[in-house]
Amino acid sequence: MPNDFAPIDMVVVPCLSDNYAFLVHNRDTGETALVDAPEAKPIQAALKAKGWTLTDILITHHHGDHIDGVSELREGARVIGAARDAHRLPPLDVQVADGDVIEICGVDTHVLDVSGHTIGHIAYHMPEPELAFTADSLMALGCGRLFEGTAAQMWESLQKLRSLPEDTIICSGHEYTETNARFALSLDADNNDLISRVEGIEAARAAGRPTVPSALDEEMRTNPFLRADDPAFKAVLGMADSTDVDVFAEIRARKDKF
Ligand code: ZN
Ligand code: FE
């Protein structure tokens, strides 16, 4: 899935009922990182199938469906998470903050604060293999619910993610895409990019395939939460004169009721 410039493999690991964890592996150094640990078993099975051993565990945020497997998986691995959430995360070996660059699996990994779903939620961006781990911030055709942050915070976080290179592969935390697709179509029924994407999503789900990861350029064309500043989309929503944040907040509120 990642490009050929870095010796990196990435594996999607379905966990619980609708979560995703991700394994990142450097073929040259043998290092293997896990992003989020919803539960240990499927991750251990995936590691065994590949013959990989964990060297790092990256945590995105404190919700149980992203950290409950950490204690069982952490032996021999560094556990990395947000300094500002250290009080409610498993014990951290490395604490990081927005703007930090750490080496994971031999590649530079940039930390972005993407608060909104929670305050302290971070994303990890690996420019070289063009991967971004966004968990419950930017999701396939959606974004996380606002449990702790404001609409303004989430909109700012999504703009940060939107400004990554458009070939970036978005590795998000849940298989919510079919519901997100129905919601997106309810707002944006004439968007041809969206219509053809939804056909692909329905085919993937019918075949039992994940719809995660997704491509950032496709999210930019089809994800309603990334388009709150698009004048044409604002007009479609009947909000041509509203601020970007107000449009984002309205889309989020409509999704919560959908
Ligand atoms: Zn969450
Ligand atoms: Fe989650």
Side-chain angles (χ1 to χ4, degrees), residues 93-110:
D93 299 304
V94 182
Q95 301 192 4
V96 294
D98 185 62
D100 286 356
V101 182
I102 45 170
E103 200 183 299
I104 301 291
C105 289
V107 297
D108 281 351
T109 302
H110 297 247

Side-chain angles (χ1 to χ4, degrees), residues 13 15 21 23 34 36-48 73:
V13 186
C15 294
L23 291 170
L34 168 69
D36 282 342
E39 59 174 336
K41 268 206 178 67
I43 295 163
Q44 287 163 333
L47 288 165
K48 195 172 173 204
L73 293 162

Side-chain angles (χ1 to χ4, degrees), residues 27-86:
R27 293 187 296 274
D28 292 346
T29 66
E31 291 159 283
T32 304
L34 168 69
V35 184
D36 282 342
E39 59 174 336
K41 268 206 178 67
I43 295 163
Q44 287 163 333
L47 288 165
K48 195 172 173 204
K50 289 284 185 184
W52 296 346
T53 303
L54 279 187
T55 45
D56 293 282
I57 299 174
L58 307 181
I59 298 171
T60 60
H61 67 296
H62 75 284
H63 285 158
D65 63 312
H66 298 257
I67 63 172
D68 282 350
V70 170
S71 61
E72 228 178 306
L73 293 162
R74 68 179 301 156
E75 199 185 318
R78 288 192 300 181
V79 178
I80 297 159
R84 68 191 297 188
D85 265 347

Side-chain angles (χ1 to χ4, degrees), residues 19 60-66 117-118 121 135-136 147 174 176:
N19 277 78
T60 60
H61 67 296
H62 75 284
H63 285 158
D65 63 312
H66 298 257
H117 177 68
T118 65
H121 191 311
D136 298 356
F147 284 120
H174 289 270
Y176 293 160

Side-chain angles (χ1 to χ4, degrees), residues 9 16 34 47 52 61 64 99-100 112 118 148 175-176 179 197 226 251:
D9 292 327
L16 303 174
L34 168 69
L47 288 165
W52 296 346
H61 67 296
D100 286 356
L112 291 85
T118 65
E148 295 178 355
E175 184 60 61
Y176 293 160
T179 313
R197 184 175 179 192
L226 290 184
I251 298 169

Side-chain angles (χ1 to χ4, degrees), residues 230-241:
D230 178 336
F233 189 45
K234 281 182 170 180
V236 166
L237 297 173
M239 299 184 75
D241 299 324

